[in-house]
Amino acid sequence: GMQLAEKGRRDLDAAIQKYAAGFPEKPWPVTVRQLLGHLSGVRHYRNEEEVNSTRHYLNLADALHVFKDDPLLFEPGARLSYTTYGYTLLGCAVETASGMKFVDYARENIFRRAGMDTMRADDVYAIIPNRAQGYRKTPSGELRNSALADTSNKIPGGGFCATVNDLAKFAIAVQTGDLVKKDTLELMWTRQKTRDGQLTNYGLGWGVGERNGLKEVGHGGGQPRVSTYLHMVPQKG
């Protein structure tokens, strides 16, 4: 999405309806930038049933029905509230601005450019060589298979699979400027502020912090079958 902003094909401060016509008007405008920084007021998962959704969606626009008619949790910009569904909206914006399906855009403009050979959507119907079976530990300590889930409802916010080597290639491509310009990266790694001026611990698509005087950026993810984390200290490469 930030690549498209660099090219002038997506306005960070435009209302999201400019790119996602299926999202109804709300009492306040919701911008692309607010969605990127989790300041939008769009809700997160409501319950375990949503986390473990097994419904298969053929496109992101159809997946909006899960949350699009629900009220915003607060006036956009008032506070930070993490939302995977906000990134489903952003994925629709990428599709509109690029004219490509989100997964195809990511493959052509991120994965291939970074040399990521295995990164792909974790499609429940696809035959994916070496795909590992997820598991969980019960309260008694017994290992069991993970709950079933289909991530087609939220692929921009979670639902790719790859090897750890590909994740490292992504980290390198980000830091070396192969995916976005240095100025764009600095913007993405700048902590956002609420309307009353309070700094959040989130930039645009990245968690941002500091330790021992060095900026740290990263992101975690969790869903049935898998937990992930990417942590980087850019000043140390």
Side-chain angles (χ1 to χ4, degrees), residues 1-12 97 105 184 187:
M2 298 302 290
Q3 291 175 341
L4 293 165
E6 284 182 346
K7 297 173 183 176
R9 293 166 67 183
R10 193 166 82 167
D11 180 356
L12 296 182
Y105 180 89
T184 301
L187 176 61

Side-chain angles (χ1 to χ4, degrees), residues 10-26 28-36 40 42 64 67 72 85-94 96:
R10 193 166 82 167
D11 180 356
L12 296 182
D13 294 308
I16 190 61
Q17 286 85 0
K18 180 177 180 179
Y19 307 105
F23 188 64
E25 296 284 342
K26 302 296 179 181
W28 310 281
V30 179
T31 69
V32 172
R33 191 187 304 268
Q34 289 166 336
L35 284 159
L36 284 165
S40 67
V42 172
L64 296 181
F67 65 93
L72 297 181
Y85 291 141
Y87 271 67
T88 300
L89 267 176
L90 289 167
C92 289
V94 167
T96 299

Side-chain angles (χ1 to χ4, degrees), residues 29-67:
V30 179
T31 69
V32 172
R33 191 187 304 268
Q34 289 166 336
L35 284 159
L36 284 165
H38 296 288
L39 296 165
S40 67
V42 172
R43 73 173 179 86
H44 193 39
Y45 306 124
R46 179 174 284 157
N47 49 41
E48 282 296 309
E49 184 178 341
E50 288 189 0
V51 174
N52 298 334
S53 170
T54 56
R55 178 171 174 177
H56 190 71
Y57 293 88
L58 296 177
N59 58 70
L60 288 178
D62 287 350
L64 296 181
H65 96 276
V66 177
F67 65 93

Side-chain angles (χ1 to χ4, degrees), residues 16-186:
I16 190 61
Q17 286 85 0
K18 180 177 180 179
Y19 307 105
F23 188 64
E25 296 284 342
K26 302 296 179 181
W28 310 281
V30 179
T31 69
V32 172
R33 191 187 304 268
Q34 289 166 336
L35 284 159
L36 284 165
H38 296 288
L39 296 165
S40 67
V42 172
R43 73 173 179 86
H44 193 39
Y45 306 124
R46 179 174 284 157
N47 49 41
E48 282 296 309
E49 184 178 341
E50 288 189 0
V51 174
N52 298 334
S53 170
T54 56
R55 178 171 174 177
H56 190 71
Y57 293 88
L58 296 177
N59 58 70
L60 288 178
D62 287 350
L64 296 181
H65 96 276
V66 177
F67 65 93
K68 68 183 180 70
D69 294 321
D70 296 334
L72 297 181
L73 301 178
F74 48 80
E75 183 176 351
R79 62 185 174 88
L80 181 141
S81 182
Y82 193 87
T83 167
T84 292
Y85 291 141
Y87 271 67
T88 300
L89 267 176
L90 289 167
C92 289
V94 167
E95 292 187 340
T96 299
S98 69
M100 301 172 69
K101 284 187 172 293
F102 179 81
V103 172
D104 294 337
Y105 180 89
R107 183 188 307 113
E108 294 299 318
N109 295 279
I110 299 175
F111 307 154
R112 285 184 177 168
R113 283 170 64 173
M116 301 160 72
D117 301 321
T118 62
M119 189 78 153
R120 58 171 297 166
D122 191 17
D123 184 346
V124 296
Y125 292 110
I127 304 299
I128 301 178
N130 302 312
R131 175 161 49 179
Q133 169 59 45
Y135 57 86
R136 61 186 174 87
K137 186 177 286 188
T138 67
S140 65
E142 181 184 9
L143 286 179
R144 304 280 290 175
N145 284 328
S146 296
L148 299 175
D150 186 318
T151 57
S152 58
N153 66 326
K154 60 172 186 180
I155 190 68
F160 286 107
C161 63
T163 62
V164 69
N165 287 335
D166 267 6
L167 196 60
K169 289 178 183 178
F170 173 72
I172 292 167
V174 168
Q175 293 188 58
T176 53
D178 291 343
L179 300 180
V180 292
K181 298 174 184 175
K182 183 179 178 181
D183 289 348
T184 301
L185 205 54
E186 285 303 309

